[in-house]
Amino acid sequence: MKETILAISGKPGLYKLVSRGKGNLIVEALDATHRRQPAFGTDRITSLGDIAMYTDEEDIPLMDVFENVKALEKGKKASIDFKKASGDELREYFAKVLPNYDRERVQNSHIKKLIQWYNILIENGITEFKDAEAEKAEEKKEEKKD
């Protein structure tokens, strides 16, 4: 899932990879329109699986952060209105999601985008943010630590 959900710089929202063409990708908007359009090599296209959030220790994959939001919100849309919330409210909310986030490098705009993307995914029925194989590998790491 995380490799087929894309963010395209300069375009709002998220997109699902539908097909590959010559020199472009065909993407479908994850919104009410579900409009398909080409995304070209000149667009800055990023898979959600390649994005991470800054923390005081090591960077945390975005999918893990989404899992934390999902646990906090019990699988529902975010309770905070990212459009109307003040910077302090956003940071207070995000501290509940990721307590050790890097307060210097994570900007309010990053938090807003994360909440917006989380809501888009939930609205489209995408609620499994971790792959089953990745979860098993993580469980094995935890067992080795003990």
Side-chain angles (χ1 to χ4, degrees), residues 22-42:
K22 276 192 172 179
N24 66 7
L25 301 174
I26 306 300
V27 296
E28 181 179 297
L30 284 180
D31 61 13
T33 66
H34 293 287
R35 193 180 73 212
R36 290 185 178 194
Q37 61 191 33
F40 298 98
T42 55

Side-chain angles (χ1 to χ4, degrees), residues 64-94:
D64 291 351
V65 180
F66 282 154
E67 280 292 332
N68 292 353
V69 175
K70 179 179 153 187
L72 177 69
E73 300 294 349
K74 297 179 176 69
K76 297 184 175 125
K77 286 176 59 173
S79 57
I80 188 169
D81 184 351
F82 66 91
K83 292 179 182 176
K84 296 180 181 177
S86 70
D88 291 338
E89 291 171 328
L90 287 170
R91 290 184 171 280
E92 184 179 315
Y93 177 83
F94 197 59

Side-chain angles (χ1 to χ4, degrees), residues 91-109:
R91 290 184 171 280
E92 184 179 315
Y93 177 83
F94 197 59
K96 293 177 192 172
V97 173
L98 194 63
N100 64 336
Y101 79 94
D102 188 330
R103 279 143 176 85
E104 291 179 17
R105 296 196 294 174
V106 175
Q107 305 298 314
N108 291 345
S109 61

